[in-house]
């Protein structure tokens, strides 16, 4: 039997007229801090890049100075231990990894507040700090940018891909996307390879919606590259947070990481 710790919160649509395939904001993944079981200490540091607080972890070994991995967090942002540890894991995989505080110091603390929180975190508020950090990295000689976005960060991975501002993009359980429209835009104007990790119990990016993305980008239609991997027995947030006592969750989180890593290596 699989213990399902994910409490899904259905959001009001905030009075905005939406297409039927509109994916609501991140259902809250209350499974934070691995139930207190994760005791690892993050090894990165928060530094300012182009004026924006950014959690940075560098590989311990030598690494490609012209390549950066930008980590776009979920709504729990940099305060969430798992996010920092995942940044560290990316650095251990060989990438200088940067997680900008694109939530402007205002990560969510109470998931009951999502409807009001999301109003303070539209693209107008979120995009400027994100682009400032990308500019800052380019100013430091970075020419190749890989972006991995989780949940809320999936929207911005998509926007950066649409704008051809990055080299390669991956998203795990993305939210706030308009499907299939956002991917039609990618098909029409992007040259950024895209990879998606989703799961069969996610009520945000449901398996049915994921198939709608496949219908646009799959089957070789999107020449720059498209892959999607669906994980079974886990819900929204699975790529960020896994209960160490649940082997299904642990395997799915590792699977999402490994799939994204392989895709990045193939496209950088
Ligand atoms: C993408 O480009 C549009 C149109 O220029 C702009 O409004 C938006 O801020 C850009 N978003 C990102 C994430 O680059
Ligand atoms: C398009 C694609 O990559 N599909 C994969 C989705 O995930 C399942 C299970 O992990 C794979 O079997 C598919 O090949």
């Amino acid at each position: 039997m699989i213990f399902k710790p994910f409490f899904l919160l259905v959001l009001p649509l905030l009075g905005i007229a939406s297409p039927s395939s509109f994916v609501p904001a991140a259902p809250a993944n209350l499974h934070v801090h691995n139930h207190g079981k994760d005791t690892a200490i993050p090894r990165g540091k928060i530094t300012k890049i182009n004026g924006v607080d950014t959690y940075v972890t560098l590989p311990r070994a030598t690494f490609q100075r012209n390549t950066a991995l930008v980590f776009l967090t979920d709504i729990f942002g940099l305060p969430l231990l798992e996010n920092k540890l995942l940044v560290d894991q990316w650095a251990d995989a060989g990438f200088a990894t940067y997680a900008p505080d694109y939530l402007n110091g205002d990560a969510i603390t109470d998931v009951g507040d999502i409807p009001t929180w999301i109003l303070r975190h539209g693209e107008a508020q979120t995009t400027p700090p994100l682009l400032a950090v990308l500019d800052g990295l380019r100013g430091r000689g970075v020419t190749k940018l890989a972006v991995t976005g989780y949940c809320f960060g999936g929207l911005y991975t998509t926007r950066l891909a649409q704008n051809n501002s990055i080299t390669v993009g991956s998203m795990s359980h993305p939210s706030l996307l308009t499907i299939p429209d956002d991917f039609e835009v990618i098909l029409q104007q992007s040259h950024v390879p895209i990879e998606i990790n989703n799961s069969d119990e996610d009520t945000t990016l449901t398996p049915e919606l994921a198939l709608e993305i496949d219908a646009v980008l799959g089957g070789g239609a999107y020449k720059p590259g498209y892959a999607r991997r669906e994980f079974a027995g886990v819900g929204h947030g699975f790529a960020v947070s896994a209960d160490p006592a649940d082997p299904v969750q642990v395997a799915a989180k590792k699977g999402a990481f490994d799939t994204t890593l392989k895709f990045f290596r193939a496209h950088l």
Side-chain angles (χ1 to χ4, degrees):
M1 198 181 82
I2 297 162
F3 173 59
K4 297 190 186 76
F6 299 107
F7 173 71
L8 300 176
L9 199 142
V10 178
L11 283 177
L13 288 177
L14 307 170
I16 301 163
S18 310
S20 58
S21 59
F22 178 83
V23 180
N29 168 10
L30 291 183
H31 184 200
V32 295
H33 296 143
N34 290 340
H35 297 298
K37 289 175 189 163
D38 209 330
T39 53
I41 297 170
R43 70 177 179 91
K45 294 274 178 296
I46 293 192
T47 57
K48 290 233 190 260
I49 296 186
N50 216 358
V52 178
D53 279 344
T54 304
Y55 179 78
V56 183
T57 313
L58 300 179
R60 297 175 207 266
T62 56
F63 60 95
Q64 297 287 336
R65 299 273 162 186
N66 68 345
T67 303
L69 192 149
V70 174
F71 181 108
L72 300 181
T73 69
D74 55 20
I75 59 176
F76 300 103
L78 299 182
L80 184 72
L81 176 62
E82 274 101 330
N83 280 331
K84 291 196 282 279
L85 294 177
L86 204 44
V87 170
D88 295 358
Q89 196 182 334
W90 278 112
D92 290 340
F95 300 98
T97 306
Y98 301 84
D101 174 24
Y102 69 149
L103 306 180
N104 299 303
D106 181 34
I108 198 143
T109 50
D110 176 356
V111 290
D113 291 340
I114 288 177
T116 49
W117 183 90
I118 208 84
L119 295 173
R120 302 196 300 274
H121 295 272
E123 294 188 42
Q125 292 88 6
T126 308
T127 303
L130 172 56
L131 296 187
V133 170
L134 295 190
D135 280 347
L137 293 174
R138 289 190 196 96
R140 295 174 179 202
V142 167
T143 56
K144 292 184 187 181
L145 281 163
V147 174
T148 180
Y150 301 83
C151 185
F152 182 85
L155 171 65
Y156 294 92
T157 308
T158 300
R159 289 286 175 266
L160 292 168
Q162 289 171 337
N163 287 3
N164 286 308
S165 307
I166 58 178
T167 311
V168 58
S170 170
M171 51 195 115
S172 294
H173 38 79
S175 64
L176 294 166
L177 295 167
T178 304
I179 297 170
D181 307 32
D182 277 329
F183 294 93
E184 296 282 5
V185 173
I186 286 184
L187 180 68
Q188 282 154 25
Q189 68 189 41
S190 179
H191 51 66
V192 177
I194 293 288
E195 194 267 332
I196 298 176
N197 298 312
N198 70 299
S199 69
D200 64 346
E201 294 177 13
D202 190 349
T203 54
T204 300
L205 180 67
T206 61
E208 293 73 25
L209 284 169
L211 287 173
E212 287 191 42
I213 302 174
D214 290 354
V216 177
L217 300 182
Y222 184 56
K223 300 299 175 207
Y226 169 67
R228 181 173 72 83
R229 183 144 183 231
E230 187 161 299
F231 293 86
V234 289
H236 191 78
F238 75 93
V240 174
S241 190
D243 183 341
D246 184 330
V248 173
Q249 290 184 22
V250 170
K253 180 175 175 178
K254 180 177 187 306
F257 185 89
D258 291 347
T259 304
T260 301
L261 176 60
K262 198 172 157 206
F263 194 78
F264 284 172
R265 285 193 174 139
H267 292 283
L268 281 170

